[in-house]
Amino acid sequence: GAGVSQSPRYKVAKRGQDVALRCDPISGHVSLFWYQQALGQGPEFLTYFQNEAQLDKSGLPSDRFFAERPEGSVSTLKIQRTQQEDSAVYLCASSLVNELYNEQFFGPGTRLTVL
Amino acid sequence: QKEVEQNSGPLSVPEGAIASLNCTYSDRGSQSFFWYRQYSGKSPELIMFIYSNGDKEDGRFTAQLNKASQYVSLLIRDSQPSDSATYLCAVRGGSYIPTFGRGTSLIVHP
């Protein structure tokens, strides 16, 4: 079956622009995570959904970041008024459920460059 | 704040050798531990997870966990050039949200 997909794969934005990043999780996966990965660093947690409910958004760096998953499948991460420090790879991961031993399956990521 | 520490490397080993990758974590409540491999420009993929003290083997890979020392390691036997990648350690505790280390870059040279 299909894995996690993300679009666009690459996004170049001018400072101050708004961007929207899309994640299509594996069908049937209840849990969905967004991470930010800066160059040379590990993924940093941003937010977590269980179905359509956003259960944890403690990792969102500012109120410019907003995520939604309205129907419990596709998710969108929106960044308003982008800044240069937002440049990173944004990874989406899904898992069947969110339990201690469940594997997370990662999408290919969206590389965001803010000029 | 929960921390997961890894030496960024690079760790360079000759083909056929054993590569040893290490990870320490700060949260004593951590319960499950994951090793991911990430090729340059690609997304992380799970290699192994472990949750009990001791060793867990899967093919050429062995994960070792010592909760008392808050230490988890990954051994890769008979290292191949195709193993060259960044290896990420991830730790999960009561919140179920994983915390990742920065990763260790492994280079296996022929």
Side-chain angles (χ1 to χ4, degrees):
Chain A
V4 179
S5 62
Q6 293 185 245
S7 61
R9 293 292 314 279
Y10 304 90
K11 177 69 178 178
V12 178
K14 291 184 179 178
R15 184 168 172 267
Q17 278 186 328
D18 297 349
V19 298
L21 312 180
R22 176 188 169 106
C23 172
D24 275 274
I26 294 172
S27 178
H29 278 196
V30 168
S31 300
L32 186 147
F33 295 76
W34 282 99
Y35 296 90
Q36 180 189 62
Q37 187 172 26
L39 191 64
Q41 301 297 317
E44 293 276 349
F45 168 76
L46 294 177
T47 187
Y48 158 60
F49 289 87
Q50 183 169 297
N51 294 308
E52 69 278 4
Q54 188 174 21
L55 297 187
D56 192 323
K57 56 181 181 179
S58 61
L60 296 177
S62 76
D63 58 7
R64 297 185 295 104
F65 287 71
F66 171 77
E68 61 182 3
R69 193 185 185 197
E71 297 180 359
S73 55
V74 171
S75 177
T76 303
L77 176 66
K78 299 178 180 178
I79 308 173
Q80 297 176 323
R81 303 181 303 281
T82 52
Q83 304 294 314
Q84 284 190 322
E85 61 263 29
D86 300 334
S87 296
V89 175
Y90 290 84
L91 294 166
C92 174
S94 72
S95 64
L96 197 57
V97 292
N98 187 26
E99 293 179 355
L100 281 174
Y101 315 122
N102 272 132
E103 178 178 359
Q104 293 188 352
F105 295 86
F106 283 84
T110 294
R111 182 177 297 276
L112 173 64
T113 303
V114 181
L115 303 177
Chain B
Q1 182 169 341
K2 301 174 184 176
E3 294 183 348
V4 177
E5 299 288 341
Q6 294 182 260
N7 188 321
S8 62
L11 172 66
S12 182
V13 301
E15 184 175 356
I18 296 175
S20 178
L21 304 160
N22 305 315
C23 172
T24 59
Y25 58 94
S26 63
D27 182 10
R28 284 197 171 274
S30 300
Q31 300 179 55
S32 57
F33 308 85
F34 299 78
W35 283 101
Y36 288 84
R37 177 176 61 201
Q38 187 173 28
Y39 292 113
S40 181
K42 303 295 185 182
S43 57
E45 55 179 333
L46 183 68
I47 299 175
M48 294 187 70
F49 74 88
I50 187 168
Y51 54 87
S52 298
N53 274 329
D55 295 0
K56 179 180 179 182
E57 186 175 318
D58 184 1
R60 296 186 297 113
F61 300 95
T62 298
Q64 299 175 317
L65 174 61
N66 184 326
K67 289 187 178 180
S69 300
Q70 295 174 241
Y71 176 95
V72 58
S73 64
L74 179 70
L75 301 178
I76 306 175
R77 290 182 299 281
D78 188 23
S79 296
Q80 301 297 309
S82 58
D83 294 327
S84 298
T86 295
Y87 289 80
L88 298 164
C89 172
V91 174
R92 289 170 104 166
S95 73
Y96 295 3
I97 303 298
T99 301
F100 284 82
R102 64 182 300 178
T104 297
S105 174
L106 173 66
I107 299 172
V108 181
H109 53 87

